[in-house]
Amino acid sequence: MECDVRIATKANGQVEWGGARPRRIAVLGSTGSIGTQTLDIAAKNPEKLSVVALAAGHRANDVLAQARTFGVRHVAMGSEELADQAVADDLRAAVRESDAAAPAQARAASEPSVAFGARAVEDLCALPEVDVVVNALVGEAGMRASYRALKEGKVLALANKESLVVGGDLIMPLAHAADERAGHPGALMPIDSEHGAIYQCFVGERTSEVSRLWVTASGGPFRGRTRDELRAITPAQALNHPTWNMGAKITIDSSTLMNKGLEVIEAHHLFGMDYDRISVVVQPQSAIHSMVEFVDGSVKAHLGTTDMRIPIQYALSFPERWPAPVEPLDFTRIGSLEFFPPDTDTFRCLALARHAGEVGGTLPCVMNAANEVAVAAFLAERGSYLGIAACVEAVMDEHERRGVERVESLEQLESLDRWARAEAARHIS
Ligand code: MG
């Protein structure tokens, strides 16, 4: 990836970065943590961002309020049961109202729509008036949406982890092809703070001169504890993250360091870096969001306030920077910046994820599915905290025994995902 920044016009003329027209965004996962923060940024930048489509799983009343606020003409709900409920009529009335108020140009592009089911969510990626798909979906539905967005020539602002952890071998070739067609980078913009940080450190640099990526970790709420001290951890304790405010699943993953493992795999795909050149370092203040080391020994670090709206906004403003509604870091008050190696004996999920990444193929898919099942069991108080890593390891072992495959298709990954979930259910402890 060559990241020399320029104000760019897409070869197909769809997107004029730096132009006068707002970038038109579809927000998939609009009621979650990343989705609501994305809408917050859109509300503060109405001349730069226009929300044209919303999708969420089942919180239809929240989506209804969002659709009214932003005058959205397209809504998709993942849950099909909602189609027969009263809120479906409210959603239809809301998009009709938005349509009546929309400029003629928007109305000419497409008919207003309200649709239900996983396919309906994915279909928003194909709307002609969408420039950027913000993919903040949770789970494997997100991988299909990423695939579709890039296929349709949209910019993909990516927060969905499965897209790269599970489907990186399918998604990255599409992103590279899109960059090549457009003649500039930017088809796939990471939203995660670590990858956004690395992306920014790459800007203006030659990829061949990068020697190492340093992915920073806060260490989570249990940093410094022993395995024995983790035996009786409850969901409430694990949900209390020291520095970042995120959804439940990712907060648990942060506490087990599985999240950092997933991020290592994502970094491998996003930046084309071998695993032996991706290091994790614990930086408890979370002021440094990641670092890139170069062949001449120089290291670039990205620092900023721990607020997800900064990396989300950069993914949407690239190659520009816009003022953010966030207090900048006050270096006179940080005190000190500490660095520690991660304790992978206690937090085994990080080592398991790295192993899955190194083996590659279908192993990360299986690992991810097992982890989701184990985390859900822990949150429901059916499984223990240490049982998460044990379950993931058992399912990975079984898959390696049966034979890891090359990634060939979304269908293959979805079928393995189902197998791994069923297998994981037998290993909850
Ligand atoms: Mg992160």
Side-chain angles (χ1 to χ4, degrees):
M1 185 181 70
E2 292 296 322
C3 272
D4 54 325
V5 169
R6 67 199 96 163
I7 302 297
T9 307
K10 266 195 152 187
N12 63 12
Q14 267 192 328
V15 184
E16 281 184 83
W17 286 161
R21 179 165 70 60
R23 300 171 188 191
R24 298 165 302 179
I25 62 175
V27 183
L28 312 187
S30 68
T31 59
S33 171
I34 297 291
T36 52
Q37 294 183 81
T38 301
L39 293 178
D40 186 33
I41 292 161
K44 291 189 168 72
N45 295 278
E47 70 297 340
K48 297 191 174 87
L49 294 171
S50 164
V51 183
V52 298
L54 295 169
H58 54 268
R59 288 158 69 179
N61 283 313
D62 292 357
V63 176
L64 178 63
Q66 293 173 341
R68 284 179 176 146
T69 302
F70 290 93
V72 169
R73 297 170 62 252
H74 300 279
V75 168
M77 298 300 307
S79 162
E80 292 188 41
E81 286 100 78
L82 289 166
D84 312 321
Q85 295 177 16
V87 72
D89 291 328
D90 296 340
L91 286 170
R92 288 185 195 100
V95 303
R96 272 199 305 273
E97 237 168 77
S98 302
D99 189 56
Q105 197 191 1
R107 294 164 70 184
S110 63
E111 290 289 316
S113 66
V114 174
F116 300 86
R119 183 62 196 243
V121 173
E122 186 194 319
D123 282 346
L124 293 183
C125 300
L127 285 170
E129 64 263 50
V130 169
D131 301 316
V132 181
V133 173
V134 177
N135 185 353
L137 294 171
V138 177
E140 62 166 316
M143 186 169 59
R144 281 212 167 255
S146 289
Y147 191 85
R148 186 80 178 274
L150 289 169
K151 273 269 183 207
E152 299 283 350
K154 312 299 187 189
V155 167
L156 174 63
L158 185 62
N160 169 264
K161 300 237 161 193
E162 290 75 11
S163 295
L164 293 178
V165 171
V166 178
D169 291 340
L170 300 175
I171 299 289
M172 287 315 296
L174 292 179
H176 291 316
D179 281 347
E180 206 142 292
R181 272 199 309 279
H184 61 82
L188 200 179
M189 295 300 299
I191 279 182
D192 210 350
S193 63
E194 292 79 1
H195 305 108
I198 293 170
Y199 199 100
Q200 292 192 42
C201 293
F202 265 72
V203 169
E205 304 289 352
R206 291 196 179 94
T207 307
S208 57
E209 292 167 358
V210 171
S211 54
R212 180 167 299 279
L213 308 182
W214 286 94
V215 180
T216 52
S218 72
F222 308 134
R223 181 172 60 85
R225 302 228 191 152
T226 63
R227 279 181 67 76
D228 246 5
E229 290 168 332
L230 294 179
R231 265 177 227 292
I233 289 297
T234 64
Q237 291 169 311
L239 285 170
N240 186 19
H241 194 273
T243 50
W244 291 100
N245 178 15
M246 306 171 290
K249 196 294 185 157
I250 186 174
T251 304
I252 301 299
D253 283 349
S254 296
S255 80
T256 62
L257 296 197
M258 174 56 91
N259 183 53
K260 211 46 57 181
L262 299 178
E263 289 176 356
V264 166
I265 299 175
E266 290 178 279
H268 160 79
H269 286 293
L270 272 172
F271 304 105
M273 196 66 59
D274 292 338
Y275 284 97
D276 60 0
R277 295 199 293 154
I278 306 175
S279 297
V280 172
V281 63
V282 175
Q283 204 287 289
Q285 292 79 16
S286 294
I288 297 180
H289 299 150
S290 277
M291 300 178 278
V292 174
E293 179 185 300
F294 297 90
V295 289
D296 65 354
S298 299
V299 178
K300 275 181 161 182
H302 175 279
L303 288 83
T305 305
T306 52
D307 187 312
M308 281 307 294
R309 288 176 298 180
I310 297 177
I312 296 169
Q313 181 172 295
Y314 184 78
L316 298 172
S317 72
F318 177 82
E320 301 172 8
R321 289 186 188 275
W322 303 337
V326 173
E327 281 291 304
L329 272 186
D330 181 351
F331 287 96
T332 62
R333 292 169 66 178
I334 289 180
S336 60
L337 289 176
E338 300 169 287
F339 301 92
F340 305 99
D343 174 2
T344 49
D345 292 330
T346 304
F347 300 96
R348 291 174 49 239
C349 285
L350 176 56
L352 289 170
R354 187 180 275 280
H355 173 72
E358 282 167 353
V359 172
T362 50
L363 194 56
C365 166
V366 162
M367 172 204 67
N368 176 70
N371 180 58
E372 271 189 38
V373 171
V375 169
F378 168 67
L379 284 170
E381 300 188 33
R382 286 187 290 106
S384 68
Y385 188 74
L386 292 179
I388 296 172
C391 172
V392 170
E393 185 168 32
V395 180
M396 282 171 64
D397 280 353
E398 182 58 24
H399 184 52
E400 286 197 83
R401 245 193 316 274
R402 289 169 181 234
V404 174
E405 301 161 32
R406 218 180 94 100
V407 174
E408 310 273 1
S409 68
L410 291 172
E411 292 71 26
Q412 169 207 25
L413 291 171
E414 284 162 1
S415 132
L416 262 171
D417 178 275
R418 282 192 296 275
W419 170 82
R421 279 167 202 276
E423 190 68 17
R426 305 196 303 115
H427 291 279
I428 298 303
S429 59

